[in-house]
Structures are given as C-alpha cells and as structure tokens.
Amino acid sequence: MTMSQFMSYDAPYNVVPFRQDDAVRSIASRESAMQVIAITGGKGGVGKTNVAVNLAVSMSMDGLDVMLFDADLGLANVDIVLGMQIKHTLADVVSGDKTLADVVVDGPEGLRVIPAASGVAQMVDMQSADQEMLIRQLSDQLMPPDVLIVDTGAGIDQTVQTFVAACQTAVLVVCDEPASLTDAYALMKVLRAKKDIRRFEILANQVDTPIQGKQLFERIANVCDRYLDVELGYLGGVPTDMYLRRAVQERKALVSVYPRSPAANAIRDAGRRLNRLAPASQSSGVGFFVEQLLSQQSHAVRH
C-alpha cells in the first residue's frame, strides 16, 4: 500500500476536522486546568517514547503549552529521541545539586521537557522521601502547562503504576505482537485491581492499514469485555512509516521534520482526540497531579 493510499484509506477514522483556533478556545475554556496524560504500554519496544514525544510536539504545534515529563526513571531516552543536549537531570535534583526548575529544558516547537537520568541506580531505587521531594517541586517550581504528558517506563512495576494512576488519562500503546498484547492486558489488569483505573485509551502503533489497527483494538476490547471491568477508547492507528525511521535517525520529532508523513498525520489526529477528552474543568492543575502522586505514593508505602 502506498502512502497516499494509506492516507486516503484512513479518512473514515478521522473525526471532526480540527483547527488551531479550536485548541486556543480549548485552552481558554479550561482556564487554569491542566490535562495530564500518561503514555504507557506494558511491554518495551512498542514505540511508547516516540509516541509520547510526537504527541507532545504535535499538541504544542497546535497552540497548547505542553510539558513532557520523562518518568522512565531508570532508562530515560526522551532527550535522545529529540537530540537534546542535557546538562542536568532528575538525578541532580535527587542528589540536591539542582532544583527541578533548573533541569527543565526547552524542546522543539515550544515544548518543555523534564529529563530523567538513564542507567542511574539511584533513580531506579529512589526512596519515598526523594519521590515526595520531586513531586512537591513539580508543584512549587514549575509554571503549569495546558498539557502534561508523562512518559512512563515499561513494565508493571510500582513506579509505573504510581505515575499512571496520578494522571487523568491513560494511553496504552500497543502493536500487533503477542507479547505486546499480553503485557498490555497484564498492565490494565494490575491498574484496574490496584489503582481502580477504569478507562484506557488504546493507540495501535506500527500498523500496516487502518483496518489492522481497528482489528487490533477490537481484539483487546473483546478480551477486556470478558475478563476486565474496564472501558476502552480507540485513539487510532499509527502506520509503519519510513519517515519515522528517518526522524529517529536524525534525532528529531517526526511531526516537526516530516509533518505530512502518514505517521505524523495519525499522531496529530490522536493528539487532537486527546485534547477533546480533556476534563471540562479541573480545580488545581499541577496541584491536583501532585496530590494524586502523593496519594499513590503513600498507598504504595503502606502496602
């Protein structure tokens, strides 16, 4: 299937056309509200970080103030995907050398990035006091964005659960592989049982056709209908795209350097659907997210 065929074939899955002024009106209507989106996947290698990065950049290009939080505390790579030169990370905050505000860096298209550290044992084995300090600095030192995207680590460990449960929207990235589907189901099962998360937005990644993405979603939905008491939404399918490989090699966001590519179009559509899912109002923006993180952390310590 050619790129033009894929793009035209995908048309039935595109919802109401979205314009940049729609994003501006959405910001005004939410006022101090902050949409908090977790990007997770259960299994590593499904393209989760690339999805998180490109969703963040695309929403920023639509006029939203977006912050991307690299919450993979042991194997962080948002900075690598974006080709950013990072001087300081969350590890410097934990050590006391820097504040959280010191480590925030400017990314492409107005995006702000909170970089984590890669391969630092201190981040993986972070004590509860250090976690609380980071969480409180997130509230005290940062200007709240319109959208906070949290790129979690892979797996179903406690840190992943904590971050996903603190977010308003959980996006589960899956691909058409048995391990991806099994791990995605396991993650939903754990989050439903331990964190009472009842809704997940499914994004099918690396699909050959829109029908393949839709069928992948329906397979997951059928299993969840039988065994899990959860509600699923479908954000769409992101096609396998040679331009994505180029963007990765160039260490740039696909939606920025190849904005007309099939995968970029699909990711923009997913971001706009997510924007329409934003709560009508949220009383305290960053404060709400921080309260949720602290609550989840306290619950984890007790258990």
Side-chain angles (χ1 to χ4, degrees):
M1 176 171 285
T2 67
M3 290 183 190
S4 60
Q5 286 174 320
F6 194 109
M7 293 171 72
S8 61
Y9 192 58
D10 195 31
Y13 295 102
N14 292 339
V15 288
V16 179
F18 187 96
R19 299 179 301 276
Q20 183 163 323
D21 57 344
D22 292 328
V24 175
R25 282 195 293 271
S26 180
I27 295 170
S29 67
R30 291 205 302 270
E31 297 179 342
S32 62
M34 182 179 72
Q35 187 182 12
V36 188
I37 303 166
I39 309 295
T40 190
K43 179 185 179 295
V46 296
K48 173 183 58 62
T49 295
N50 263 310
V51 166
V53 164
N54 281 286
L55 274 175
V57 174
S58 69
M59 294 175 87
S60 183
M61 291 170 70
D62 273 337
L64 294 161
D65 179 14
V66 184
M67 180 175 286
L68 177 58
F69 183 7
D70 192 344
D72 189 342
L73 300 182
L75 295 172
N77 56 12
V78 163
D79 57 314
I80 296 173
V81 171
L82 286 173
M84 302 173 69
Q85 298 298 318
I86 302 297
K87 294 182 179 179
H88 306 291
T89 69
L90 290 178
D92 298 300
V93 180
V94 174
S95 67
D97 293 335
K98 297 292 179 181
T99 66
L100 189 57
D102 292 332
V103 306
V104 176
V105 292
D106 293 329
E109 309 292 348
L111 176 68
R112 288 182 285 164
V113 178
I114 305 175
S118 182
V120 179
Q122 184 183 17
M123 296 301 296
V124 181
D125 302 324
M126 191 185 302
Q127 300 299 309
S128 60
D130 292 329
Q131 291 184 20
E132 184 170 341
M133 176 268 293
L134 278 178
I135 291 166
R136 292 201 180 280
Q137 285 197 29
L138 182 64
S139 176
D140 296 341
Q141 297 182 10
L142 301 180
M143 290 292 292
D146 301 310
V147 182
L148 175 64
I149 293 181
V150 180
D151 180 28
T152 76
I156 58 174
D157 62 35
Q158 186 59 53
T159 301
V160 172
Q161 295 177 43
T162 296
F163 278 113
V164 175
C167 297
Q168 297 161 325
T169 305
V171 174
L172 195 59
V173 180
V174 299
C175 58
D176 197 1
E177 297 175 1
S180 172
L181 301 181
T182 300
D183 290 358
Y185 176 82
L187 179 59
M188 285 189 285
K189 183 177 180 179
V190 168
L191 290 171
R192 177 65 180 90
K194 294 189 175 182
K195 302 297 183 180
D196 197 30
I197 297 179
R198 297 171 180 266
R199 181 177 174 90
F200 299 88
E201 307 300 329
I202 305 297
L203 182 67
N205 197 25
Q206 302 168 10
V207 298
D208 295 328
T209 67
I211 285 182
Q212 183 189 14
K214 189 68 173 179
Q215 289 175 338
L216 184 60
F217 168 75
E218 289 172 352
R219 283 158 56 192
I220 297 171
N222 288 337
V223 174
C224 289
D225 285 344
R226 294 176 62 186
Y227 301 110
L228 288 183
D229 180 21
V230 296
E231 181 182 357
L232 302 182
Y234 184 51
L235 289 178
V238 179
T240 303
D241 188 343
M242 67 177 183
Y243 285 105
L244 177 58
R245 180 172 297 181
R246 287 189 188 179
V248 169
Q249 292 172 341
E250 295 170 12
R251 299 176 66 183
K252 294 179 180 178
L254 172 74
V255 294
S256 184
V257 292
Y258 301 111
R260 296 186 179 182
S261 64
N265 285 329
I267 289 171
R268 272 196 304 273
D269 284 344
R272 290 161 182 171
R273 291 180 186 125
L274 281 170
N275 189 51
R276 284 192 291 272
L277 290 174
S281 64
Q282 185 62 65
S283 59
S284 52
V286 173
F288 173 82
F289 177 60
V290 169
E291 289 169 8
Q292 293 300 305
L293 277 175
L294 290 174
S295 173
Q296 294 298 329
Q297 180 210 32
S298 298
H299 183 271
V301 170
R302 290 196 303 270
H303 292 79

